[in-house]
Each structure stands twice: as C-alpha cells, then as structure tokens.
Amino acid sequence: MMNLLQKNQLIFKNKKYQINAAFPLVLEYFKYIGDDEHLTIPERLNMALFSFVKESTSELSAEDKMELLEKIYSSFIFTKKDKEDAELINSKKKSFDYEQDMDLIYSSFLQQYGIDLSDKRIFTNLTWSKFNSLLQGLTDDTSFRKVTSYRTVKITDDMSSETQNYLKQMKLIYSLDRKDNDGDGKLTKVDLDMILAPLDMVHKVKKIKELRDQGRIK
C-alpha cells in the first residue's frame, strides 16, 4: 500500500515549521475561514495556524501570520497543479460536495482501497493532497462515482422513458444542497413525489425529515 502518512515542512522567516495538512483539518478550515458573521479575521487566522502549524506562531505579526497561512495554502492545499486542474474544469457543473458526500467518500475509500477514514491514525495524518489523489482515483463501481455520475449525466430523448424517470429520481435524491442559477433549491410537489416513490414508509418519513432540515420543503 502507498505511504499515506507524510511529514510536511515549511521554511518561513528562517524558521522551520512542521505543517499538518490532514484532510479533516482542511475541511474544517473551509468551513470557518469564510465565517465573517461569527468570527473576526484575526480569530480565523489564529484558528487556521493553530490547526496547521505544530509550533507556536504567537511571536509573528498579523501580516506575517497572513503570509504564512498563504504559503501553507499554496503549498499544501491549493497548489499550482490544483489551479491548473481548476482552470480545466471550471466550466463544468459541480458534481460533489466534500461535506455532503463524506459518507459516500468514506464507504468508497473502504470499498476500493481498504482504507478506513475513521481510523484515528489515517484520519489525522492523511494529507489533503493524497486524500484528493485517492478521491480522484475512485472507480465507477464505487458509490461516490455512481452518485456523481447521476448528477452529471444528461437525460436524452433516445433513452427509454423508464431510464429517463429513473435518472430524474436519482438526480433529485442526490442533488446538492445549494441554490442553482435557475432555482432556489426548493422542491416542487412533483419533484417530491418522484423522490419518495421508490421508498418504503419508514424511509419516506426519514427522507421528508431530511429534506425539511435542508430547507428544500416546508
């Protein structure tokens, strides 16, 4: 098996820093870094450095802290290669969300690689870059790839009505919880009926509660 654990170092202002860019830390970073409603910029900056940097950064000025975080981001989170990849796919519709699809990602990693992402050693040390490399390498028979395929597949006239209806159901069931350009994310009664149609009563109740919690139905 490939070496999943990796020690990262960064030289900044003539000092060596040990960087932990484990994937759960990066996911948390994405959540709070844009939270300008509850957290100030200094608070978010200190949270990020506390998460990513083993050594204390208290002696650094605010400007140096910002520069250090930018170096961490460009070196370990969104690298030059990531930028190039993003430019190639920026016109494509978003097919997954790290937070919403994490259960699918967990099960798919276990299915294909035998990697248990809930294992503490893996969970805290698998780097963001290696995590994404493994994610991109998932094959079409994993649950993650099947769901992303449902989201992106085009429904065409040459498909049978049965196939069209099935794909419409899958698109609704696995749609991402966000507002699209052509709607507010709310489901119509027809949409809701299509989602609930293949489910038994117990799962219908669970799905209705889930959709209400997501704000997609009243």
Side-chain angles (χ1 to χ4, degrees):
M1 179 182 290
M2 65 183 292
N3 180 22
L4 298 177
L5 309 182
Q6 177 177 312
K7 298 294 184 181
N8 294 310
Q9 296 181 346
L10 188 68
I11 304 296
F12 179 73
K13 300 292 183 179
N14 297 318
K15 181 176 179 179
K16 182 184 295 184
Y17 291 95
Q18 299 290 333
I19 307 300
N20 182 4
F23 83 93
L25 298 181
V26 177
L27 290 177
E28 284 300 313
Y29 166 80
F30 288 152
K31 291 180 184 179
Y32 63 70
I33 199 63
D35 186 5
D36 52 8
E37 183 177 349
H38 302 97
L39 298 169
T40 65
I41 292 178
E43 286 174 334
R44 283 175 278 168
L45 181 58
N46 287 328
M47 286 175 65
L49 292 178
F50 182 79
S51 296
F52 295 140
V53 183
K54 181 178 180 181
E55 294 79 10
S56 172
T57 59
S58 59
E59 78 284 357
L60 297 177
S61 66
E63 291 77 12
D64 284 344
K65 287 181 179 180
M66 183 65 73
E67 185 178 349
L68 175 57
L69 181 58
E70 289 174 351
K71 284 184 175 294
I72 293 171
Y73 186 80
S74 62
S75 299
F76 303 109
I77 300 176
F78 197 66
T79 64
K80 181 179 179 180
K81 182 180 183 303
D82 294 325
K83 292 179 182 178
E84 293 172 350
D85 291 342
E87 290 175 357
L88 291 175
I89 64 174
N90 62 1
S91 61
K92 296 182 180 180
K93 186 176 181 180
K94 182 178 179 181
S95 63
F96 75 96
D97 178 87
Y98 286 110
E99 183 176 3
Q100 180 174 329
D101 293 328
M102 190 50 66
D103 286 344
L104 293 171
I105 294 172
Y106 270 53
S107 63
S108 297
F109 270 50
L110 190 60
Q111 173 188 345
Q112 180 166 325
Y113 303 119
I115 296 174
D116 183 358
L117 290 176
S118 64
D119 182 291
K120 185 176 181 180
R121 184 168 179 266
I122 297 297
F123 187 82
T124 57
N125 291 282
L126 178 61
T127 64
W128 178 249
S129 60
K130 288 190 176 181
F131 166 75
N132 276 289
S133 293
L134 292 170
L135 184 65
Q136 293 174 18
L138 290 174
T139 56
D140 292 341
D141 62 337
T142 59
S143 54
F144 174 77
R145 285 299 178 202
K146 288 178 181 178
V147 168
T148 57
S149 176
Y150 290 143
R151 291 172 180 157
T152 57
V153 67
K154 290 185 178 181
I155 300 175
T156 59
D157 293 336
D158 60 338
M159 294 177 176
S160 67
S161 58
E162 182 179 357
T163 298
Q164 290 182 14
N165 289 333
Y166 175 76
L167 290 176
K168 287 177 182 178
Q169 287 181 341
M170 294 301 102
K171 283 179 176 292
L172 287 169
I173 291 173
Y174 295 113
S175 62
L176 294 173
D177 302 331
R178 62 187 179 87
K179 293 183 179 180
D180 292 316
N181 293 331
D182 56 353
D184 61 0
K186 299 289 186 182
L187 294 175
T188 66
K189 185 179 184 304
V190 174
D191 291 339
L192 180 60
D193 289 342
M194 289 185 66
I195 290 176
L196 299 179
L199 305 178
D200 59 33
M201 184 56 66
V202 173
H203 287 88
K204 281 182 180 179
V205 172
K206 289 183 178 179
K207 177 56 71 172
I208 289 173
K209 182 181 184 304
E210 177 185 328
L211 293 172
R212 280 184 178 146
D213 291 342
Q214 294 170 356
R216 300 183 66 197
I217 60 174
K218 294 182 179 180

